[in-house]
Amino acid sequence: MIHNSERLLSVGIDIGTSTTQLVISHLTIENTAPLTAIPHFCITAKIPIFISPVYFTPFVDRLHVDASALRKIVATEYDRAGFKPEEIDTGAVIITGESAKKENAEEIIHSLAGYAGDFVTATAGPDLESVIAGKGSGAYQLAKTLGRCVINVDIGGGTANIVVFERERIQSTSCLNIGGRLIEIDPYNHKVRYIAPAAAAILSDLGDPLKVGDPVDKERLMPVVRRMVDILDQVLLAEDLDYLGSRLLMTAPLRLDLREPLIMFSGGVGTYFNTRSEDWFAHGDLGPLLAEALKEARVLKKYLFLPAAETLHATVLGAGTHTLEVSGSTTSFDNHCLPLRNLPVIPLELDCRDRFDKWAEFRLRYPPNETVAYWLPSLPQPNFSEVNVLAQDLLLLLAKFPQDPLIVLTKDDIGKALGQSIRFHTHLPLHLICLDQITVQNGDYIDINKALPGQEAVPLIVKTLVFGQ
Amino acid sequence: MQNPYETVALLKERKEEREKIDQVLPDLAKINIQEQLLVPQPADESLYREMMHLTPARIGVWRTGTRPLTRTMLRFRADHALAQDSVLGMVPEEFASAHGLLPIQTQVENKEQYLTRPDLGRKLSLEARETLTKGGTAACQVQVVVADGLSSKAIGANIPDLLPALMQGLAHYGFIIGRPIFVKYGRVACMDEIGEILHPESLVILIGERPGLGTAESLSAYMAYKPHRSMLESERSVISNIHRGGIPPLEAGAHLASLMKQILASKASGVRY
């Protein structure tokens, strides 16, 4: 009667500035609660079973990612792994770095996610990318195990994504527009083939007249990569950023409040940090040189360096194994309304005067016909009548902004009581999704999967959808 | 052994006195020990704080020589006293009527007998059987019973939120619900006799758990499909640890409603379910 464990097949696809990768993993979801308690489902094991080769991300031109080539990569790799898209239970496609700035990034990621499996989610955004890379690199696990602060810096082709874990908490994230592929070099004749806008800003800051077609060597480019590392140092050491630094920073600066942090590097550049290259332009970019300059970073004298468990595959592993969460196990929902994707989350303040007016005001920031998910932050130990009042207020909000189904997410373990109360207070036919023990932030999106068989726990993915300008 | 009635009277008498003292001396038992960091100058305060939050057990309490601090000792004794109060204390007489419960009593006559004769706590008094026949609901789908059990505090702390959430949930599913009953001096198996008198299809009893030093307010819910006197303990389903620090009473009420639905649907409870 009771299924105490489920094994899900999860895919991660990372479309980066320079490379595209795919990983398929097994996720085990288990009930970890004793028999006399309410079930509590956790993801207890994450095992990668298939890792694709590293592809160059296909582009039609400088402004467009090649959708059909990407689809072909996914089809080929599914075929090699021996899986069909309909066998994939969950997972995430993440578009990162410079690729997320392409004009068709949003369209591509949604269509690719739809193709890759029924509940494969589309995600993008520099802060989410930082977190995913830090989880995939092993930094999160290390911070949790050691009870320490661990900084992960994932440096790819276009961006450096930084996350600071303090034990199980994410203390801060940040993203810098520096990476190995901001200048492309012909691997055969060593002439500059492309200079990205961010690289042009660095060159103009240095007063360097480098242009496309110029022949280069290691010495010619070292000042450029050293300047990148200098900016990275400023961010990692929480110094005041210089003009170039503030131009290259894509998010809020890193907030640091830590003692004896550990630092690790992942991403393509992180791979070269741990090895040694002789052929500097083997990939036709700055990657190996940037790793070389990174070895002299000031931050390494201040923080203790540890090699990452995963470097090149950090983001794709993170996307495949660290995006899925499971809701609380006492909830209230109409399973036939699920799955639901890309729902914007609207946090509803509870302890404020005229809360209903405030709620309506928040709701008006989104198109009136869009289906949204309302999120109730901490509501510690509410009593029966408070929950009833809340249920009636939510029904008023539904009357003012009709949508089907009504979606309510809560932080505290009250999903079932609130759901029953909402149903009790309306005579209209109502489809309802009321899930608990979920933490989201304003601006997040959520994908909600079908419930685990025979259970009330629902797998879901909290994510951002931020595409570069 | 002291007569429990006298104990209760004495406690009442002392209540006013205690309240006066409380204004001068803070009540030790009201301090949240999971927030109390007694180790002076911890190497990693935030980690220490997090570890304290992980368990209500008395960890990180520091020491004096090889012994616990005086305040740790006093707190231990205060919690022990609370646990005893909870066992010896009574659910107020007006509780049943305030929550719309039909009050009955087992064959137990006082607290001392309750503690020494568990068998009597499973049998209903003659008067109780009559009250049930006259005022109870026969052959309902779900019968809800509240019993004091070993913790009077668990009843006062949880039932005001749990019971209405449970009733609302059951009503939402459209079940025929019997008039809820309150059993004084009740043990879990008093449900068996109630089952034989009223013949409910299913029954859930909410009963105070034997208090520990972590909380004196923990409640259990035992559920049975067609309870009767020859049923085995293994045929009851149970959800335990219902209190503010465990399964929140409100959510427990909602959850119990859906468990009752499952029990009715599968026509079985406990290991048969």
Side-chain angles (χ1 to χ4, degrees), chain A residues 1 36-38 147 166-167 169 259 330 381-384 387-388 413-417 420-421 423-425 436 456, chain B residues 43-44 46-47 50 160-161 164-165 168-169 171-173 238-240 244-245 247-251 254-255 257-258 273:
Chain A
M1 174 95 201
T36 60
I38 285 176
E166 187 192 11
R167 293 190 283 284
R169 270 198 307 277
R259 280 166 303 135
T330 50
Q381 309 289 356
N383 62 36
F384 181 69
V387 165
N388 275 324
D413 187 6
I414 56 160
K416 193 166 189 87
Q420 286 189 353
S421 182
R423 289 186 199 279
F424 187 84
H425 284 101
D436 61 18
E456 290 180 8
Chain B
D44 187 340
S46 75
L47 181 60
E50 232 157 83
D161 283 326
Q168 192 178 64
H172 169 71
Y173 292 131
V238 62
I239 293 288
S240 65
R244 298 210 171 269
I247 302 169
L250 197 64
E251 194 69 351
H255 180 59
S258 64
Y273 165 69

Side-chain angles (χ1 to χ4, degrees), chain A residues 152-415:
Chain A
N152 189 69
V153 187
D154 188 272
I155 311 176
T159 55
N161 289 81
I162 308 163
V163 61
V164 185
F165 294 111
E166 187 192 11
R167 293 190 283 284
E168 284 162 90
R169 270 198 307 277
I170 297 158
Q171 196 182 66
S172 181
T173 57
S174 199
C175 179
L176 263 176
N177 201 175
I178 63 168
R181 219 166 168 79
L182 294 182
I183 296 179
E184 287 174 27
I185 299 117
D186 191 303
Y188 303 106
N189 61 20
H190 295 190
K191 281 186 179 167
V192 174
R193 210 156 54 176
Y194 170 69
I195 298 176
I202 298 170
L203 291 171
S204 91
D205 173 84
L206 289 167
D208 188 328
L210 188 75
K211 58 184 190 307
V212 172
D214 287 357
V216 287
D217 57 15
K218 182 189 175 195
E219 277 63 43
R220 179 72 185 80
L221 290 172
M222 273 319 272
V224 180
V225 287
R226 282 202 190 102
R227 188 73 176 104
M228 287 184 183
V229 173
D230 179 41
I231 305 284
L232 186 64
D233 272 329
Q234 292 174 22
V235 173
L236 288 173
L237 296 166
E239 293 168 355
D240 288 335
L241 296 183
D242 60 21
Y243 176 68
L244 180 63
S246 48
R247 275 192 70 185
L248 296 180
L249 190 67
M250 297 167 69
T251 59
L254 205 62
R255 280 176 297 105
L256 285 172
D257 163 30
L258 33 87
R259 280 166 303 135
E260 301 172 344
L262 305 171
I263 188 163
M264 53 175 67
F265 297 106
S266 62
V269 176
T271 311
Y272 276 99
F273 187 87
N274 299 334
T275 57
R276 208 178 151 73
S277 171
E278 285 307 328
D279 183 5
W280 297 107
F281 302 117
H283 304 296
D285 59 29
L286 293 174
L289 280 179
L290 182 55
E292 190 69 8
L294 197 60
K295 291 174 187 170
E296 303 297 319
R298 284 183 290 132
V299 72
L300 291 172
K301 296 189 179 70
K302 283 244 173 145
Y303 304 159
L304 183 66
F305 170 79
L306 271 180
E310 279 293 339
T311 53
L312 193 57
H313 301 299
T315 306
V316 71
L317 276 172
T321 59
H322 288 279
T323 46
L324 194 74
E325 297 172 36
V326 187
S327 77
S329 301
T330 50
T331 57
S332 184
F333 55 86
D334 293 300
N335 209 19
H336 67 87
C337 297
L338 297 173
L340 289 162
R341 293 160 180 262
N342 303 322
L343 303 167
V345 173
I346 302 182
L348 301 180
E349 230 183 301
L350 295 170
D351 282 331
C352 58
R353 242 193 294 184
D354 308 319
R355 72 177 180 192
F356 186 76
D357 295 339
K358 273 235 174 83
W359 293 0
E361 194 188 309
F362 278 139
R363 177 64 186 84
L364 280 171
R365 292 178 195 167
Y366 293 86
N369 55 353
E370 186 166 0
T371 302
V372 300
Y374 297 108
W375 183 63
L376 306 171
S378 201
L379 187 80
Q381 309 289 356
N383 62 36
F384 181 69
S385 57
E386 280 166 356
V387 165
N388 275 324
V389 172
L390 190 58
Q392 287 166 29
D393 280 358
L394 285 165
L395 284 167
L396 279 177
L397 193 65
L398 181 69
K400 197 160 175 182
F401 302 97
Q403 67 174 49
D404 186 37
L406 171 63
I407 303 154
V408 182
L409 315 171
T410 72
K411 183 168 188 296
D412 299 296
D413 187 6
I414 56 160

Side-chain angles (χ1 to χ4, degrees), chain B residues 91-103 146 155-156 159-161 163-164 179-180 182:
Chain B
V91 173
E93 289 297 330
E94 61 276 16
F95 185 88
S97 58
H99 291 88
L101 305 167
L102 178 66
V146 178
I155 303 304
I159 295 299
D161 283 326
L163 189 62
R179 178 175 176 191
F182 176 76

Side-chain angles (χ1 to χ4, degrees), chain B:
Chain B
M1 194 184 278
Q2 205 172 10
N3 182 334
Y5 279 128
E6 279 177 32
T7 314
V8 172
L10 203 66
L11 284 173
K12 271 183 189 164
E13 215 173 88
R14 285 194 183 155
K15 201 182 165 196
E16 271 183 37
E17 201 183 322
R18 248 200 346 253
E19 278 165 0
K20 272 184 211 153
I21 297 170
D22 275 354
Q23 290 166 7
V24 191
L25 267 180
D27 184 351
L28 260 184
K30 283 195 180 127
I31 299 166
N32 181 355
I33 51 171
Q34 283 178 264
E35 296 284 350
Q36 197 177 33
L37 307 182
L38 295 175
V39 177
Q41 296 163 333
D44 187 340
E45 191 184 317
S46 75
L47 181 60
Y48 178 25
R49 199 177 287 279
E50 232 157 83
M51 288 167 76
M52 294 293 287
H53 280 189
L54 285 176
T55 171
R58 279 147 231 260
I59 61 165
V61 291
W62 201 232
R63 64 197 170 83
T64 173
T66 55
R67 300 174 301 280
L69 299 179
T70 306
R71 64 191 307 171
T72 309
M73 276 308 293
L74 289 178
R75 176 58 191 263
F76 193 85
R77 292 179 64 178
D79 284 341
H80 190 227
L82 271 179
Q84 284 185 318
D85 279 2
S86 195
V87 175
L88 296 175
M90 307 293 283
V91 173
E93 289 297 330
E94 61 276 16
F95 185 88
S97 58
H99 291 88
L101 305 167
L102 178 66
I104 57 171
Q105 189 168 334
T106 59
Q107 293 185 7
V108 173
E109 281 166 7
N110 57 48
K111 217 44 206 247
E112 190 186 343
Q113 195 182 35
Y114 178 74
L115 295 174
T116 52
R117 293 288 305 272
D119 57 325
L120 296 183
R122 299 185 189 111
K123 294 175 187 152
L124 300 184
S125 67
L126 205 61
E127 199 188 340
R129 299 174 65 90
E130 267 171 34
T131 313
L132 279 188
T133 319
K134 277 191 208 143
T137 313
C140 61
Q141 279 177 293
V142 185
Q143 175 68 54
V144 178
V145 179
V146 178
D148 47 7
L150 282 162
S151 172
S152 54
K153 283 188 201 294
I155 303 304
N158 298 300
I159 295 299
D161 283 326
L162 191 156
L163 189 62
L166 171 61
M167 298 306 259
Q168 192 178 64
L170 292 172
H172 169 71
Y173 292 131
F175 293 131
I176 302 160
I177 312 164
R179 178 175 176 191
I181 299 163
F182 176 76
V183 183
K184 188 173 176 179
Y185 299 133
R187 299 246 171 207
V188 173
C190 72
M191 68 156 81
D192 303 356
E193 212 175 320
I194 298 175
E196 291 195 353
I197 297 166
L198 295 177
H199 304 289
E201 195 178 353
S202 71
L203 184 150
V204 53
I205 183 166
L206 309 163
I207 188 164
E209 287 175 13
R210 182 177 61 83
L213 289 170
T215 173
E217 296 183 348
S218 194
L219 188 87
S220 283
Y222 289 83
M223 293 149 275
Y225 182 74
K226 292 192 174 167
H228 52 92
R229 263 185 292 193
S230 57
M231 78 185 291
L232 302 171
E233 290 304 320
S234 56
E235 288 171 304
R236 304 185 216 278
S237 301
V238 62
I239 293 288
S240 65
N241 203 31
I242 300 167
H243 59 96
R244 298 210 171 269
I247 302 169
L250 197 64
E251 194 69 351
H255 180 59
L256 286 172
S258 64
L259 284 182
M260 295 315 286
K261 189 181 169 203
Q262 287 174 25
I263 284 173
L264 284 171
S266 53
K267 298 187 183 297
S269 55
V271 292
R272 293 182 188 275
Y273 165 69

